[in-house]
Amino acid sequence: MMSDRNLSPELLEQELASLRQEVATLKTEKAAFEVQQKLLENLVDLEHSSAQGEVLQASLQATLDLVTALTDAEKGSLFLLEASGKVVDAILSRAEVTPKQRAKLIGNVLDRGLAGWVCDRREIGLISDTEHDTRWLTLPDQPYTVRSALAVPIQRGEQLLGILTLLHPEPDHFSPELARQIDLTTNRLGLVLENARLYFQLRQYSAALDNELETGRQIQIDFLPDRVYQPPNWELAACFHPAKQVAGDFYDTFPLGNYVGLAIADVCDKGVGAAFFMALMRSLIRVFSGQTQLDGLSIVTGEDRQLLPKLSSQTQALQAVELTNQYVAQNHWKLSMFATMFFGVLDPATGLLTYINGGHEPLFLVNNSGIKQTLNPTGPAVGMMPNMKFGIAQVQFESGDILLGYTDGVTEGKNTDGELFTPQRLRSLLEHPAKSAGELLTRIETKLFDHIDRAIQFDDITMLAVQRL
Amino acid sequence: MEINLRKLQEIQVVELIGDVDASTAPEVQQEILPLAQPNSKLLLDMSQVPYMSSAGLRVLLSLYRQATAQDGKLVLVGLSEDLQDTMSVTGFLDFFATGDTLEAGLAQLKETVA
């Protein structure tokens, strides 16, 4: 380019000027590129960091500090705006803002001064001397002198996400070139801010969701008995370990006249819905069994009553399962919710247990030599279809016998490699004699939690053990 | 979770690949429930479903109800031993027509045409 010797001095000067311009442009672009590069690194850090609000705050703070340092500004601020133009957050350079000042800023609309001008016009506001610019408002209590000011809108498409403001006590500090550099970087800043906004939304949403799940968990726990009922000469023990996500297991032990009601159940699926159905089904079983106990079959219509044979009071109480099935299948069929449920009525005087197993995992009656009887399903899961028939079965406890009921959270407990605990492992733990119902549960819990180790517990773990002393 | 749909004449074949649990069941439900149209014939190929939780059973129950209400037919094929076990304990197996293989399932659905 410079090899042409025939150029006149004017032309050479022109060439020189254009080269200077080119170099200046390149410098601007290089500086802008470097700022963008640093911002991008910042952004990557943000995305790689664990999802915590402080990290984001720190990241925006670092972004602002970086821009403040690169422009050699004395102070800088970053206002985050919501769609209405209201300030949702204010970040000031070098974290020199007090919480009180910050609170004062949030909620304001930037409608005055330089920021107001930028909000309105959506373009760069550069003030080379505040003393000669009507856009600058000097607040009466402003503790520092400002002569130069630069405000840049941060946009993402049509949306104004924030305003970056840089200040300096000397006039003519920010050149138009610098303003251009900052403007080039605002695309990146827009991205950071949009991420920030999405992140806040996500955090709010997930907090609301956590809250809902916690409510579900509380409902579930509230519907478990405070204390396991202890009839004389029997030992009852139970355990319940809720899943990370809410599920719908329950157990229940309650007196029914001279008898004892024993239930263990697993409502299908997970979430708050499962917790609600757990509460519903547990209540229906209690109410229906108590009612039939007190009033015979008063809830069955007169016509049906004629057809039913005379039932023992234990069998009457078990009608609760059929009634619950009917209620859920008829009133809540749209949700297709059901529960696998074991419900038994124990005569503590004789050791005879009359029960229905509605599609639940088999229960085991164990003695010193291992499993002596398996209590398999006598009918389908409860609530699946209306008009289901549930068979009634009986089992006799001898002194020392322990009945163990569990939910599939036990047999399907997964370790970090995804291996299940399996029914085989559970059965092998029942081969050795247990001193008490409580000891048997502790034995299983220990082995199960050893197996699960650090894996996330995906399902409720519930067990009920009943021993005749 | 992978859900493959294809039509073999008048039979809608749904191939599920992967575990059906609380996290994948909503997706399965959304995809397959609309397939239960009046008089539709549905075949669910479960041969590549290693595990199904109660959330999966719930989807099957919804599908069964929907299909029955619309006078449709539903056949499940390729249930693993574990799946059959789960469905047997809970009483589900009593409600569903099942077949060992895709061909057996198709034959069952075709019979009902005649």
Side-chain angles (χ1 to χ4, degrees):
Chain A
M1 234 192 284
M2 298 294 277
S3 63
D4 199 334
R5 287 173 191 175
N6 298 329
L7 287 174
S8 66
E10 291 80 24
L11 275 171
L12 270 174
E13 207 148 291
Q14 266 182 25
E15 183 77 12
L16 201 62
S18 99
L19 270 177
R20 275 202 190 113
Q21 182 64 43
E22 210 170 300
V23 169
T25 310
L26 280 173
K27 262 189 181 165
T28 307
E29 273 168 12
K30 185 168 177 276
F33 177 75
E34 278 167 4
V35 175
Q36 287 185 21
Q37 201 64 26
K38 288 199 172 164
L39 285 174
L40 192 65
E41 281 164 17
N42 220 350
L43 193 67
V44 170
D45 283 349
L46 175 66
E47 276 170 3
H48 284 190
S49 62
S50 63
Q52 278 176 13
E54 296 77 31
V55 175
L56 179 76
Q57 279 283 340
S59 174
L60 287 172
Q61 183 73 58
T63 304
L64 176 66
D65 287 346
L66 191 70
V67 176
T68 310
L70 284 166
T71 57
D72 200 21
E74 201 194 52
K75 287 175 194 301
S77 64
L78 187 59
F79 287 99
L80 269 55
L81 308 175
E82 58 174 37
S84 66
K86 229 187 239 172
V87 176
V88 286
D89 205 352
I91 294 156
L92 281 88
S93 63
R94 298 178 186 108
E96 58 197 9
V97 71
T98 65
K100 203 176 150 193
Q101 280 173 296
R102 196 167 155 265
K104 217 168 123 190
L105 291 165
I106 292 171
N108 284 333
V109 175
L110 302 174
D111 54 359
R112 297 188 309 157
L114 182 62
W117 186 88
V118 172
C119 272
D120 207 33
R121 304 267 185 112
R122 308 274 177 104
E123 60 182 73
I124 298 175
L126 174 62
I127 294 179
S128 48
D129 192 347
T130 56
E131 287 185 3
H132 307 290
D133 199 310
T134 53
R135 289 175 297 179
W136 188 255
L137 278 181
T138 306
L139 300 172
D141 57 344
Q142 192 162 292
Y144 50 87
T145 319
V146 177
R147 291 291 294 275
S148 297
L150 173 64
V152 186
I154 297 156
Q155 301 184 87
R156 213 45 205 150
E158 291 291 295
Q159 237 189 329
L160 182 67
L161 298 174
I163 289 195
L164 172 77
T165 309
L166 300 166
L167 306 173
H168 199 272
E170 298 296 326
D172 295 314
H173 180 78
F174 304 111
S175 65
E177 237 151 76
L178 197 69
R180 212 171 86 76
Q181 274 184 26
I182 298 302
D183 194 34
L184 283 172
T185 64
T186 53
N187 268 343
R188 286 287 173 217
L189 265 180
L191 202 64
V192 173
L193 287 186
E194 195 183 40
N195 266 26
R197 187 170 281 192
L198 290 174
Y199 173 76
F200 277 128
Q201 274 174 2
L202 196 69
R203 209 166 52 138
Q204 263 177 1
Y205 180 66
S206 88
L209 216 59
D210 278 351
N211 207 8
E212 199 196 349
L213 286 179
E214 192 46 46
T215 308
R217 192 169 289 131
Q218 284 310 321
I219 290 172
Q220 191 182 8
I221 290 168
D222 200 50
F223 274 83
L224 296 176
D226 284 345
R227 214 164 344 136
V228 176
Y229 179 62
Q230 298 293 351
N233 303 317
W234 290 78
E235 189 207 329
L236 272 62
C239 74
F240 170 71
H241 302 278
K244 187 171 180 287
Q245 202 191 351
V246 176
D249 279 11
F250 71 90
Y251 66 87
D252 206 359
T253 58
F254 56 99
L256 267 173
N258 295 325
Y259 303 106
V260 181
L262 300 169
I264 184 162
D266 182 353
V267 175
C268 68
D269 212 345
K270 297 215 165 63
V272 176
F276 273 128
F277 268 83
M278 170 266 164
L280 173 73
M281 290 203 181
R282 180 268 195 192
S283 301
L284 288 178
I285 288 292
R286 272 217 181 189
V287 170
F288 285 147
S289 60
Q291 202 166 340
T292 51
Q293 179 70 25
L294 293 171
D295 315 332
L297 288 175
S298 62
I299 13 181
V300 177
T301 56
E303 197 183 325
D304 286 348
R305 200 193 301 216
Q306 310 298 315
L307 302 172
L308 286 164
K310 214 168 147 39
L311 300 167
S312 76
S313 31
Q314 277 164 291
T315 312
Q316 279 179 29
L318 287 171
Q319 298 297 307
V321 175
E322 243 174 73
L323 292 168
T324 301
N325 177 71
Q326 202 68 2
Y327 181 89
V328 173
Q330 281 181 347
N331 296 287
H332 300 287
W333 61 272
K334 277 184 200 143
L335 293 171
S336 295
M337 291 296 268
F338 61 88
T340 67
M341 184 192 293
F342 174 92
F343 180 49
V345 180
L346 174 70
D347 182 347
T350 62
L352 185 68
L353 175 70
T354 310
Y355 67 90
I356 285 175
N357 182 349
H360 195 79
E361 301 281 332
L363 286 81
F364 301 115
L365 189 67
V366 296
N367 63 12
N368 278 342
S369 39
I371 297 171
K372 88 185 231 198
Q373 217 166 325
T374 302
L375 284 58
N376 284 313
T378 61
V382 178
M384 230 167 91
M385 299 282 173
N387 311 314
M388 286 291 103
K389 291 283 162 248
F390 295 87
I392 291 173
Q394 288 187 320
V395 64
Q396 178 65 48
F397 279 81
E398 302 302 331
S399 174
D401 286 357
I402 304 176
L403 176 75
L404 173 77
Y406 59 95
T407 59
D408 59 8
V410 175
T411 46
E412 293 182 3
K414 267 187 199 171
N415 66 11
T416 42
D417 295 329
E419 282 171 331
L420 304 181
F421 190 66
T422 71
Q424 290 71 29
R425 274 209 188 89
L426 176 63
R427 274 198 212 104
S428 74
L429 293 175
L430 305 178
E431 278 165 13
H432 315 288
K435 282 192 206 82
S436 66
E439 194 263 313
L440 184 66
L441 289 196
T442 311
R443 177 194 298 176
I444 301 166
E445 277 177 299
T446 308
K447 288 283 178 194
L448 176 60
F449 285 106
D450 277 354
H451 172 82
I452 295 174
D453 198 14
R454 277 159 300 154
I456 294 169
Q457 188 195 322
F458 279 108
D459 203 357
D460 287 350
I461 290 169
T462 309
M463 287 188 278
L464 176 67
V466 178
Q467 184 179 32
R468 184 176 190 183
L469 300 175
Chain B
M1 184 79 230
E2 205 181 313
I3 304 163
N4 297 321
L5 305 178
R6 71 195 147 108
K7 269 234 139 144
L8 285 177
Q9 287 155 353
E10 80 284 7
I11 298 168
Q12 176 70 62
V13 178
V14 182
E15 186 185 55
L16 300 177
I17 304 172
D19 289 348
V20 186
D21 54 25
S23 64
T24 56
E27 182 193 343
V28 177
Q29 168 129 356
Q30 203 178 357
E31 285 282 324
I32 68 172
L33 218 52
L35 300 174
Q37 297 292 324
N39 304 307
S40 55
K41 294 184 194 314
L42 291 173
L43 185 143
L44 235 63
D45 183 354
M46 315 271 284
S47 55
Q48 291 169 87
V49 178
Y51 172 78
M52 185 167 62
S53 78
S54 60
L57 291 178
R58 195 181 160 203
V59 174
L60 287 185
L61 181 56
S62 292
L63 187 68
Y64 173 86
R65 282 187 174 152
Q66 187 103 340
T68 314
Q70 309 255 31
D71 293 319
K73 293 272 179 293
L74 173 63
V75 176
L76 309 180
V77 302
L79 295 166
S80 71
E81 214 170 295
D82 280 348
L83 253 63
Q84 284 193 44
D85 207 39
T86 307
M87 291 186 66
S88 155
V89 168
T90 50
F92 270 69
L93 221 46
D94 299 337
F95 293 96
F96 290 87
T98 57
D100 288 340
T101 60
L102 182 67
E103 291 68 32
L106 289 172
Q108 278 195 53
L109 285 167
K110 276 178 187 151
E111 267 170 38
T112 62
V113 182

